[in-house]
Amino acid sequence: MKYDFTSSASRENSNAEKYTLREKLFGSDEVLPVWVADMDIDTPEFVLEAVKQRLKHPIVGYEEVPTSAFEVQIKWMDEKHGVKFELEDLLYSHSVVASMSVAIDAFSEIGDKVIVQTPIYPPFFHSVKEHKRELLINPLKQMSDGRYTFDIDDLKSKVDANTKLLLLCSPHNPVGRVWSRDELTEILEICLENNIVVFSDEIHSDLVYAPNKHIPFASISKQARDITITAIGVGKTFNMAGFAMSSVAITNKKLREKFTQSYNRVHFAQGSVLSHVAFQSAYKDGSQWRDELVEHLGKNYKSLNELCQKYKDKIKLIPIEATYLAWLDCRGMNLSDRDLRKFFTQKAKLGLNAGLSFGREGSGFMRLNFAVSTSQMLEVIKRLDKALRIKYKK
Ligand SMILES: Cc1ncc(COP(=O)(O)O)c(C=O)c1O
């Protein structure tokens, strides 16, 4: 391994959101926060170095995103994910969630229906509600092995002429699925039949565990390309959320124009010059770092799984294929959602996301972010093991 993930800088006294909000959310600063989806792993040195180099020029003014930044992203998307975009397809965005909000504004009207597949990352349903669109909830269903899949019959029975947009999460947060070509094709068919535009949030697409392979929605077919808005970025992969830079790819000119009208209304502009160089260096120099990170995350996932196996009638780790977010099925503990949260914060001293925040299907679940260094993972396991051992006298 060229890169070292065994330890990382402490975020205790930084302004990291997952630490600063501890007291407010969990009632104690002793809680080890494993909730917000960024990593307690250092942002790669080559990214920080690129920023330092840029700062050698003493003027930090308005700058356009350089073509070279999008060119390296296009190359990455082609080589890693087999999807081809052109420079003209790409737009700067400071945030995937903001891009989603623009898509809702652009492709639906007040009162129209927008499809969201729960349990899901909360901004999906919040954005729909904030825009006064109607939420069309199409819950995912669990298969016998615990993994989730789309409920196609439910979706077919619910879509109608007022359904304008589907917000796809691919790979999915929090259930960790990498959707197969067959699953995506079924979704595509429904969208084509009903003139539904697809906003495909692919922010987790670089964090996929072998042998799974991410399939960009826009890569399924020409028809899929024509109805897709793809949101992609480096925020998750390289722990760069603080640089606030991602992009949106829209190959259909008409859709791109419509999106751009809404986008211009809220003045997305071109972001920060420091983000441009960070973004470019991540895509240019980050291939090996990404591969080694995924290997490291796989080990953390394995150790969490080993722990859950010990208490398997109480906690089940839903098998995941991507992301660093473990979706823990704690229904075997027979606790109310309130008591479940209390168990994790007060007994295990760990700050997780409550499953219910991902939709009502998340009742009895908790989400744990295992994107931490090896030493911090040992601490997470130690705390959880101790709390479970005491509770179940094992
Ligand atoms: C599926 C998904 N989309 C978007 C985001 C946030 O992206 P951004 O910070 O670019 O808005 C997250 C962060 O957790 C996420 O999990």
Side-chain angles (χ1 to χ4, degrees):
M1 290 267 252
K2 178 172 169 194
Y3 299 103
D4 180 10
F5 299 100
T6 53
S7 60
S8 59
S10 166
R11 300 179 85 186
E12 277 285 350
N13 296 313
S14 72
N15 199 25
E17 185 183 1
K18 66 171 69 148
Y19 283 83
T20 53
L21 291 178
R22 263 184 315 186
E23 180 75 48
K24 184 171 165 210
L25 292 178
F26 305 109
S28 159
D29 271 351
E30 285 176 17
V31 160
L32 184 61
V34 279
W35 58 296
V36 177
D38 64 11
M39 304 197 269
D40 278 10
I41 285 175
D42 299 357
T43 304
E45 188 54 39
F46 49 83
V47 170
L48 304 179
E49 191 50 41
V51 175
K52 284 180 203 157
Q53 287 301 324
R54 172 59 186 78
L55 285 172
K56 287 187 177 161
H57 191 291
I59 299 179
V60 185
Y62 289 123
E63 293 192 15
E64 298 272 296
V65 178
T67 306
S68 51
F70 284 141
E71 278 169 353
V72 283
Q73 182 177 37
I74 289 172
K75 187 162 177 276
W76 179 284
M77 296 297 293
D78 185 13
E79 288 176 3
K80 310 281 185 212
H81 304 304
V83 63
K84 290 192 192 308
F85 292 119
E86 304 292 333
L87 274 175
E88 65 183 18
D89 303 335
L90 291 167
L91 294 162
Y92 158 85
S93 168
H94 61 279
S95 139
V96 167
V97 173
S99 307
M100 181 158 65
S101 179
V102 171
I104 295 169
D105 183 66
F107 303 114
S108 64
E109 307 279 335
I110 289 180
D112 283 345
K113 295 181 186 167
V114 179
I115 304 160
V116 167
Q117 296 168 308
T118 49
I120 198 146
Y121 176 56
F124 276 61
F125 41 79
H126 293 159
S127 302
V128 175
K129 286 196 215 149
E130 281 154 11
H131 282 275
K132 299 194 167 43
R133 276 37 168 184
E134 194 180 318
L135 261 178
L136 191 162
I137 300 274
N138 169 225
L140 299 172
K141 58 180 187 189
Q142 264 188 297
M143 300 182 279
S144 55
D145 63 359
R147 290 180 313 142
Y148 289 74
T149 187
F150 300 126
D151 189 338
I152 294 294
D153 292 336
D154 177 78
L155 184 57
K156 277 187 186 157
S157 73
K158 288 177 178 169
V159 291
D160 60 20
N162 292 328
T163 312
K164 299 292 167 57
L165 184 65
L166 182 143
L167 303 179
L168 181 71
C169 193
S170 175
H172 191 95
N173 169 8
V175 307
R177 275 302 313 280
V178 173
W179 305 116
S180 70
R181 188 172 295 276
D182 286 349
E183 288 172 310
L184 293 173
T185 303
E186 285 194 285
I187 291 286
L188 172 65
E189 278 164 9
I190 295 175
C191 292
L192 289 173
E193 270 165 33
N194 295 281
N195 292 320
I196 296 170
V197 172
V198 176
F199 177 87
S200 189
D201 174 344
E202 302 187 7
I203 196 169
H204 293 280
S205 56
D206 290 320
L207 303 175
V208 170
Y209 304 105
N212 303 288
K213 177 119 188 56
H214 170 68
I215 299 171
F217 198 77
S219 73
I220 303 176
S221 64
K222 162 84 177 74
Q223 285 173 308
R225 266 173 100 76
D226 282 347
I227 61 164
T228 307
I229 319 300
T230 308
I232 30 183
V234 282
K236 300 287 163 216
T237 318
F238 297 98
N239 207 22
M240 295 170 53
F243 279 110
M245 177 160 172
S246 63
S247 69
V248 184
I250 313 174
T251 56
N252 178 327
K253 192 160 176 266
K254 279 202 184 124
L255 292 192
R256 196 165 60 241
E257 280 170 5
K258 209 147 190 246
F259 184 89
T260 309
Q261 281 166 12
S262 297
Y263 175 94
N264 288 342
R265 244 196 327 268
V266 288
H267 193 70
F268 259 43
Q270 290 286 307
S272 151
V273 20
L274 300 182
S275 305
H276 303 165
V277 292
F279 179 93
Q280 176 163 333
S281 78
Y283 277 127
K284 184 164 86 51
D285 300 322
S287 189
Q288 185 173 353
W289 195 89
R290 191 282 301 250
D291 292 350
E292 293 187 13
L293 171 72
V294 172
E295 198 182 322
H296 166 72
L297 294 175
K299 286 182 195 156
N300 282 357
Y301 176 66
K302 192 164 166 259
S303 51
L304 185 61
N305 199 25
E306 279 163 10
L307 174 67
C308 292
Q309 284 296 326
K310 253 171 82 180
Y311 302 95
K312 63 174 186 267
D313 49 336
K314 307 294 177 202
I315 297 194
K316 287 191 182 65
L317 179 54
I318 298 301
I320 62 165
E321 299 158 342
T323 83
Y324 47 66
L325 305 164
W327 188 233
L328 299 173
D329 181 349
C330 307
R331 289 175 293 184
M333 292 176 76
N334 283 323
L335 296 175
S336 67
D337 285 289
R338 205 156 166 258
D339 288 343
L340 184 58
R341 202 158 172 269
K342 263 195 192 161
F343 168 80
F344 277 95
T345 48
Q346 295 178 6
K347 304 292 180 202
K349 304 227 178 305
L350 292 170
L352 282 75
N353 299 80
L356 265 185
S357 61
F358 299 85
R360 73 158 72 109
E361 300 75 17
S363 176
F365 288 76
M366 297 292 285
R367 194 193 74 171
L368 187 152
N369 175 348
F370 58 85
V372 295
S373 63
T374 311
S375 58
Q376 196 163 316
M377 194 65 204
L378 286 173
E379 182 61 26
V380 171
I381 300 281
K382 195 171 104 191
R383 290 186 186 206
L384 186 53
D385 194 16
K386 186 173 169 204
L388 287 166
R389 218 172 38 235
I390 292 171
K391 184 164 175 62
Y392 297 112
K393 303 185 176 50
K394 281 215 179 183

